[in-house]
Amino acid sequence: MTAQVDYLVVLFTTTSGASGELLGSDERELVQLVWQLVDIKNRKLGKVNELLIKPDLSDLTEEKEEEDVVEENVEEENGSKADCVFTATSLETALNLFHLQLTNEVNSAGAGTSVCLCTDGQLHIRQVIHPEATGKNILVPDCFYSFFDLRKEFKKHFPTSDLKAVNVHLMAESLSIPTDVPFTWDPSASLDPSVVMSADIAVQLVPVMSSIVHALLAQPFCHSFCNPERVSEKFETGTCSKMEKVCDSTVIRARGLPWQSSDQDIARFFRGLNIAKGGAALCLNAQGRRNGEALVRFVSEEHRDLALQRHKHHMGNRYIEVYKATGEDFLKIAGGTSNEVALFLSREDQIIVRMRGLPFTATHEQVLTFFSPGEGLKETCPVSGGKDGILFVRYPDGRPTGDAFVLFACEEHAHCALKKHKEILGRRYIELFKSTAAEVQQVLNRYSSAPLIPVAPAPLVSMLPTMSLLPPPGSMRDCLRMRGLPYTASIEDILTFLGEFTHDIRPHGVHMVLNQQGRPSGDCFIQMTSAERAIQASQRLHKHVMSSQHGTNSRYVEVFPCSAEEMGLVLMGGSLSHTHTHTHARTRSGTGLSPPPCKSRRLSPPSYSFTPAPPVLSAEAAAALYPPMGQVLLSPRPLPPGHAYYPASAQLYMNYTAYYPSPPGSPTTVGFFPSPSLSSPAGLVRMPGLTYSNGVKDLINAVQGYQSPMESISLLSSSLIGQSSGGDAPLMSLPALLTKPEGQYMDLTLL
């Protein structure tokens, strides 16, 4: 639509929930429609109409169903300032009534036929009407698929205005519009945008919006209302190349989807927002199954921001989480480079069905026979394009994987084909799922990607000195380990549980253990002033019940004595295995410790078997190079004012590589252990917890703080298969440890 329309319908909606910039973000139902017809050619205004949606919860009789729409023209009876007031009992009735009344009013005017809506922002159409109608399976009239955003039309003449800060009041002030209606509601001045707007305010705002339209049409602006906003009626499937550029500000990640959902279901969830062609990509897990996540690409950043407001909206009985994502994330899922896949997906408006569990000897003819109608069945599901509509998934060497994708011409044929789920082909039952173009790309990319190194290299474990990570048996057991804490337990709850033993805790000696997600794991370490008090506390408090101030749950807590070295090993990501054979054999009663919450992954899987290589370092050199784990610390630094139970003047050794960081209430610390004097010329360090995208350049940047030439740093290994791995830590050799005025310290886990 390039020419100016004949009529504008100034429309304003309210819901039973939030208003202003949060309109439609809480999934509340539409309760009010207010509109006024503006004759652009003759510069005339129509009547102000108000439509109230009041669901009738009582049992409706046939007479009530016929009288579900009531027109009230007497203002004194209803108290509304609108010229005409209508009442409907459902959204479907309200939308049909709005379209009927609008058509009658335009026909009675007789000055033209082209009509378009005009709203204050995008939310009324995109976030209120379309999402609610889609959720209730209501057909929306055609007039709701195009509209003018009054704020954007105003900004064309006032470009310095911030679009997010523009509202009806600001536009009226800028245009010097006189009005007798007081502004009783200003969104910019509202402290709580979740407050419900009263029905009278919407009736007052619509005439003001009509006056703004008249002011834009008059001199000196002479504005022309053309090129309205469009709402996509249907999601378009398509392909995406890995070479394509995708803007980060247009992609979101949806999580919590039902496993059987398709790209069309995702498009229904975001109805009202324009998704780019082929912009819905379902994610698969390592086994090739859907993991309940999807990446969605929108046509603009504005639509992406509106999609983020649908965080925790519902798809059926499930709420969907919506987060920001990047264009790189989208290309990893939806991008493809195979010409065969591009040719297969080039047939648009086709329904894709995935076949899983095919015999490796299956052929095109067998698949066509599988979908042919059986004896006595009238329903047919012909494959679109015959053999060209079937795509077998193969490994790089040409071996079949047992998966295939089949095209069908329409939803009816695809629905009929899905009825053959778990029917027999050959000697195997076949699983059938409705699929998407992005899923085809993911499956083909996964199976067609050849490994970078087909044969695993010799591991580095045989090159490292043989040594035990467990502390020696003679260590002083002056610490406590508490297991089974309530997940809502705080430091105050732990101190209350310890009772009289609270006075025996060292300054900053309480260390909460968190898991990989940063949540409490139920474990805690406490440094005591003496081993005797630690043993007494474990004997007296073992399996006593602890209550949390922040929750109603109470649990019995296991209390064990342990040494500082054992505590430091667990906090640094190590594990205390009681069944593993090492130099100092121990039993459960000897250590008094339960297994740690998480064990460090081995550098080499136990299933690999390689020829052992001689060790690089001798036992004497290894003993001098690798001190006990509890002594691997950074230099001390002053602690800012913290918990009231501990003096703020104490020195604290911070350990930034601890696998389980402590929460703000419990400082991240391993203990008060001075670093030994190391005389070795060089050291071999292990860097755990790296992400999958870390490379050699990132590892070099990580050690730039050390006073050593960068060219002397060598990367020994990244992984066993030549690819970065977040669990298998790389090994680096450092020429020398950093010497500081306070002494020599290391902040990386020594092996």
Side-chain angles (χ1 to χ4, degrees):
M1 184 185 298
T2 57
Q4 181 164 279
V5 296
D6 299 326
Y7 296 97
L8 280 181
V9 182
V10 177
L11 177 68
F12 198 92
T13 64
T14 57
T15 66
S16 59
S19 56
E21 297 303 318
L22 296 181
L23 181 67
S25 62
D26 50 5
E27 288 188 290
R28 294 299 182 91
E29 293 185 341
L30 179 68
V31 297
Q32 184 187 29
L33 277 169
V34 182
W35 74 93
Q36 186 177 21
L37 187 66
V38 179
D39 188 346
I40 295 180
K41 291 184 178 181
N42 301 322
R43 307 292 174 85
K44 294 182 179 180
L45 297 178
K47 297 182 296 184
V48 177
N49 303 278
E50 181 183 10
L51 175 58
L52 301 176
I53 304 175
K54 299 180 179 179
D56 191 358
L57 302 179
S58 61
D59 295 332
L60 295 179
T61 61
E62 294 183 358
E63 293 77 8
K64 288 185 180 181
E65 291 179 355
E66 295 176 356
E67 299 176 357
D68 60 349
V69 179
V70 180
E71 181 177 354
E72 301 177 5
N73 291 308
V74 182
E75 298 183 8
E76 291 76 6
E77 294 181 3
N78 51 59
S80 176
K81 296 182 180 181
D83 299 325
C84 297
V85 179
F86 307 92
T87 304
T89 58
S90 65
L91 177 63
E92 183 176 11
T93 305
L95 296 180
N96 293 334
L97 176 62
F98 169 81
H99 186 258
L100 177 62
Q101 294 296 329
L102 180 61
T103 303
N104 294 337
E105 192 171 357
V106 171
N107 292 336
S108 61
T113 57
S114 58
V115 183
C116 190
L117 302 180
C118 181
T119 61
D120 176 29
Q122 306 271 321
L123 303 181
H124 301 276
I125 301 296
R126 298 191 184 276
Q127 296 286 73
V128 176
I129 294 179
H130 280 281
E132 183 177 348
T134 302
K136 297 180 178 180
N137 295 321
I138 297 174
L139 185 63
V140 178
D142 295 338
C143 61
F144 289 101
Y145 285 96
S146 62
F147 66 98
F148 287 101
D149 186 349
L150 188 57
R151 298 183 182 184
K152 291 185 177 180
E153 303 300 320
F154 172 82
K155 188 174 174 59
K156 292 179 182 179
H157 301 281
F158 297 87
T160 57
S161 302
D162 184 9
L163 188 61
K164 295 183 178 179
V166 172
N167 53 51
V168 175
H169 306 277
L170 178 61
M171 290 186 286
E173 290 180 4
S174 302
L175 295 173
S176 301
I177 297 177
T179 176
D180 297 332
V181 180
F183 294 150
T184 57
W185 179 80
D186 184 358
S188 61
S190 178
L191 300 178
D192 186 9
S194 62
V195 66
V196 180
M197 181 191 296
S198 64
D200 294 337
I201 295 177
V203 178
Q204 296 176 10
L205 289 176
V206 167
V208 179
M209 294 170 60
S210 301
S211 301
I212 295 173
V213 172
H214 266 194
L216 294 176
L217 292 172
Q219 297 287 346
F221 304 107
C222 298
H223 184 72
S224 177
F225 285 89
C226 56
N227 299 322
E229 300 275 335
R230 299 287 183 180
V231 180
S232 299
E233 298 185 27
K234 184 179 180 182
F235 170 69
E236 297 183 24
T237 60
T239 59
C240 179
S241 173
K242 284 188 177 293
M243 306 304 295
E244 185 176 348
K245 293 184 178 180
V246 180
C247 183
D248 293 342
S249 60
T250 61
V251 183
I252 61 95
R253 180 184 296 273
R255 189 167 64 184
L257 300 168
W259 66 269
Q260 71 275 18
S261 60
S262 64
D263 53 355
Q264 297 293 339
D265 297 323
I266 297 174
R268 281 177 54 86
F269 178 78
F270 291 107
R271 181 62 58 86
L273 308 178
N274 295 347
I275 301 176
K277 184 177 180 179
L282 294 166
C283 301
L284 306 179
N285 57 17
Q287 290 74 34
R289 302 177 184 271
R290 297 174 185 174
N291 60 1
E293 294 188 3
L295 291 167
V296 185
R297 176 189 178 190
F298 294 91
V299 296
S300 66
E301 182 179 0
E302 180 183 25
H303 289 243
R304 192 283 306 265
D305 294 339
L306 293 177
L308 292 174
Q309 293 186 11
R310 302 194 186 184
H311 179 60
K312 290 194 174 180
H313 281 205
H314 288 77
M315 178 185 292
N317 295 326
R318 300 174 64 97
Y319 71 84
I320 308 301
E321 301 175 5
V322 182
Y323 304 99
K324 291 182 180 179
T326 63
E328 183 181 359
D329 296 336
F330 182 80
L331 289 178
K332 288 180 180 179
I333 301 299
T337 57
S338 173
N339 294 330
E340 183 183 9
V341 177
L343 180 62
F344 176 77
L345 297 176
S346 62
R347 304 176 181 87
E348 298 183 0
D349 299 331
Q350 302 285 339
I351 309 302
I352 306 174
V353 173
R354 181 181 179 183
M355 304 180 68
R356 194 166 61 193
L358 288 169
F360 295 146
T361 58
T363 62
H364 291 83
E365 289 77 10
Q366 290 178 321
V367 174
L368 293 174
T369 305
F370 178 79
F371 288 109
S372 61
E375 297 181 0
L377 296 179
K378 297 181 180 181
E379 295 182 347
T380 60
C381 48
V383 178
S384 178
K387 294 183 179 180
D388 295 336
I390 303 174
L391 177 64
F392 286 100
V393 183
R394 302 181 183 277
Y395 290 106
D397 57 3
R399 294 181 295 111
T401 63
D403 285 24
F405 294 94
V406 184
L407 292 177
F408 294 93
C410 60
E411 289 280 354
E412 182 181 357
H413 291 172
H415 181 71
C416 180
L418 293 175
K419 293 181 179 180
K420 295 181 176 290
H421 180 60
K422 290 194 175 182
E423 289 192 7
I424 303 298
L425 174 60
R427 294 185 177 180
R428 305 190 63 176
Y429 71 87
I430 308 301
E431 296 178 289
L432 300 176
F433 307 96
K434 199 173 181 180
S435 185
T436 64
E439 185 174 353
V440 177
Q441 295 279 23
Q442 286 185 78
V443 174
L444 268 295
N445 291 341
R446 177 169 299 169
Y447 284 114
S448 61
S449 299
L452 300 178
I453 302 178
V455 180
L460 294 176
V461 175
S462 58
M463 303 179 186
L464 300 177
T466 303
M467 60 179 293
S468 173
L469 294 180
L470 289 176
S475 303
M476 181 181 297
R477 306 169 66 79
D478 57 348
C479 299
L480 290 177
R481 182 179 186 181
M482 303 174 65
R483 189 182 72 171
L485 300 173
Y487 293 124
T488 57
S490 62
I491 297 179
E492 289 81 358
D493 299 326
I494 296 174
L495 297 177
T496 303
F497 176 79
L498 291 175
E500 61 178 287
F501 298 100
T502 303
H503 304 287
D504 301 308
I505 301 177
R506 291 187 182 184
H508 308 283
V510 180
H511 312 290
M512 303 287 289
V513 180
L514 308 181
N515 57 19
Q516 295 181 2
Q517 289 74 33
R519 299 174 181 175
S521 64
D523 282 26
C524 173
F525 284 96
I526 299 175
Q527 293 176 271
M528 306 293 287
T529 55
S530 64
E532 292 77 11
R533 296 296 290 174
I535 295 176
Q536 293 176 11
S538 63
Q539 292 175 348
R540 187 174 304 180
L541 301 176
H542 184 58
K543 290 192 175 182
H544 281 208
V545 176
M546 175 187 292
S547 300
S548 173
Q549 299 177 1
H550 305 284
T552 58
N553 55 332
S554 301
R555 302 182 61 177
Y556 76 87
V557 179
E558 298 176 284
V559 184
F560 308 100
C562 66
S563 64
E565 288 81 3
E566 292 171 332
M567 177 189 69
L569 176 61
V570 175
L571 289 177
M572 283 187 168
S575 60
L576 298 173
S577 176
H578 304 284
T579 59
H580 185 66
T581 304
H582 47 78
T583 305
H584 306 287
R586 293 185 173 214
T587 62
R588 182 175 299 273
S589 60
T591 61
L593 289 174
S594 59
C598 181
K599 296 184 179 181
S600 300
R601 298 176 61 181
R602 299 180 178 90
L603 293 176
S604 175
S607 58
Y608 288 176
S609 59
F610 299 92
T611 304
V616 178
L617 302 176
S618 62
E620 293 77 8
L625 180 60
Y626 305 115
M629 294 296 293
Q631 300 176 358
V632 184
L633 295 170
L634 285 173
S635 58
R637 73 182 197 185
L639 179 70
H643 203 276
Y645 285 96
Y646 309 125
S649 60
Q651 294 288 323
L652 174 66
Y653 290 84
M654 300 295 292
N655 173 28
Y656 286 99
T657 62
Y659 197 72
Y660 299 102
S662 300
S666 176
T668 307
T669 174
V670 174
F672 297 88
F673 308 112
S675 178
S677 177
L678 301 179
S679 60
S680 58
L684 189 65
V685 298
R686 176 171 179 255
M687 303 173 66
L690 294 177
T691 62
Y692 293 95
S693 59
N694 285 121
V696 178
K697 185 176 180 181
D698 301 318
L699 300 180
I700 294 177
N701 293 335
V703 295
Q704 285 184 351
Y706 293 93
Q707 299 175 356
S708 59
M710 289 298 103
E711 59 271 8
S712 63
I713 299 178
S714 59
L715 177 65
L716 299 184
S717 175
S718 262
S719 171
L720 296 176
I721 61 174
Q723 298 177 348
S724 297
S725 173
D728 298 330
L731 302 174
M732 300 186 67
S733 62
L734 297 179
L737 299 178
L738 175 63
T739 302
K740 296 185 178 180
E742 296 87 1
Q744 292 180 334
Y745 301 95
M746 287 198 66
D747 64 343
L748 298 175
T749 307
L750 285 171
L751 291 178

